[in-house]
Amino acid sequence: MSQLTDLLDPAAIRLDAPAADRTEAIRLSGDLLVATGAIAPAYIDAMLRTVDEHGPYIVITPGFALAHARPDETVHRTALSLLRLADPVVFGHESNDPVHLVMTLAAADDSAHREALAALAGVLADPERRRALDTAASAQEVLDILGDEGPQAGAAAPAEAPDAATGTGAVAAGAGAGSSADQAPAVSSADPGAIPSKNLILTVCGNGLGTSLFLKNTAEQVLDRWGWSPHLSIEATDTISAKGKAKDADLILTSGAIAQTLGDVGVPVEVIENFSSTTEIDTAMRRWYAV
């Protein structure tokens, strides 16, 4: 089994539950973790406050919400729950509504759940496995889908091998094959005169440990395809920290709701609608890098 299924107790899976709105959907999903002893009820209130404060950024792909709050004493152990709604519910997201699946993440610390989120990204990026979650007939079938070793990325436009740049100017795609691996990429800003990269991308969410980590995992897949992973780091962070760290980054990847919260931070902010889409993230990053 993957760590994803290790964190998901069969008793924390409920299929085809009725919910009137997003508040009830989040509460029902959280109640599954209360029932299995993973969280205290106060954690559910914290999740709801996060959505009230930052908007429906937890709807990370079409039809799927990842509810979460910060680690604190209300989390007894790192765990996941999965709620499938009988009828989709509007969460208020412009492009990913309505929501059919709600997963609640309770993290006891900042790191124990990272591999699980990477595995989840692979599931949601695989159209067949994503559709299977919508029709699974039992908790065991859900676990089988989530534990299956399927593709770790969805369909994406082929990414060319990157052309290293020295910072003296943009390098056109397809040129400079065989460049030294220790040369840093350049930030083109859609301008022929590229500038040296700061070697950092930020992915941002309200808490810095749920949706931002999910987005980080998908963006890292893009860097892997480019062959740029040795050159660029991606850091998942929260909105408050991002405002201080922005000056050290090339750009920020985030949701529309969080982008509004951030405002002008002095670096480009790219809004990503589907956090499991390597195609969308590839396109956004190519607007700023001399690939």
Side-chain angles (χ1 to χ4, degrees):
M1 284 189 178
S2 70
Q3 189 178 353
L4 179 58
T5 52
D6 292 342
L7 296 180
L8 183 58
D9 189 314
I13 299 172
R14 182 178 176 186
L15 303 178
D16 303 325
D21 52 30
R22 79 180 185 192
T23 296
E24 186 175 2
I26 293 171
R27 284 199 176 279
L28 287 174
S29 184
D31 284 342
L32 294 170
L33 291 183
V34 173
T36 57
I39 63 172
Y43 186 79
I44 300 175
D45 296 330
M47 290 193 296
L48 291 171
R49 286 195 299 271
T50 296
V51 175
D52 288 342
E53 180 180 356
H54 298 292
Y57 75 94
I58 62 171
V59 189
I60 56 177
T61 71
F64 186 95
L66 179 63
H68 60 285
R70 295 182 185 276
D72 62 19
E73 68 280 356
T74 64
V75 179
H76 303 148
R77 69 173 186 275
T78 299
L80 296 166
S81 70
L82 183 67
L83 176 76
R84 190 173 73 197
L85 298 169
D87 296 299
V89 168
V90 172
F91 270 50
H93 195 285
E94 289 186 1
S95 58
N96 291 337
D97 267 343
V99 170
H100 191 209
L101 295 172
V102 182
M103 178 171 277
T104 289
L105 164 67
D109 55 44
D110 291 339
S111 60
H113 58 295
R114 290 176 183 267
E115 291 182 14
L117 287 183
L120 177 62
V123 173
L124 297 181
D126 182 336
E128 291 186 8
R129 295 168 80 192
R130 175 63 182 84
R131 284 193 295 270
L133 289 176
D134 290 337
T135 58
S138 66
Q140 185 56 54
E141 190 173 341
V142 169
L143 291 172
D144 290 342
I145 295 164
L146 295 177
D148 181 33
E149 292 300 326
Q152 292 300 302
E160 303 90 348
D163 303 305
T166 61
T168 57
V171 181
S179 298
S180 171
D182 62 1
Q183 289 178 301
V187 183
S188 69
S189 302
D191 191 317
I195 61 174
S197 170
K198 296 176 182 176
N199 307 109
L200 177 65
I201 296 171
L202 298 178
T203 59
V204 183
C205 74
N207 295 306
L209 55 81
T211 56
S212 60
L213 273 176
F214 189 100
L215 181 54
K216 175 182 184 289
N217 289 328
T218 311
E220 285 176 340
Q221 293 174 30
V222 175
L223 290 185
D224 287 343
R225 293 183 182 189
W226 289 4
W228 281 25
S229 296
H231 304 305
L232 286 176
S233 297
I234 302 179
E235 180 180 345
T237 189
D238 61 87
T239 51
I240 296 174
S241 299
K243 292 179 180 180
K245 295 177 179 179
K247 65 181 183 301
D248 298 318
D250 293 331
L251 70 152
I252 288 174
L253 304 176
T254 190
S255 67
I258 296 297
Q260 292 181 8
T261 299
L262 287 174
D264 184 3
V265 290
V267 298
V269 176
E270 284 286 341
V271 171
I272 305 298
E273 299 293 349
N274 185 348
F275 282 22
S276 66
S277 173
T278 53
T279 301
E280 182 180 353
I281 295 171
D282 182 286
T283 299
M285 288 166 57
R286 284 174 185 266
R287 282 195 283 267
W288 299 100
Y289 288 104
V291 181

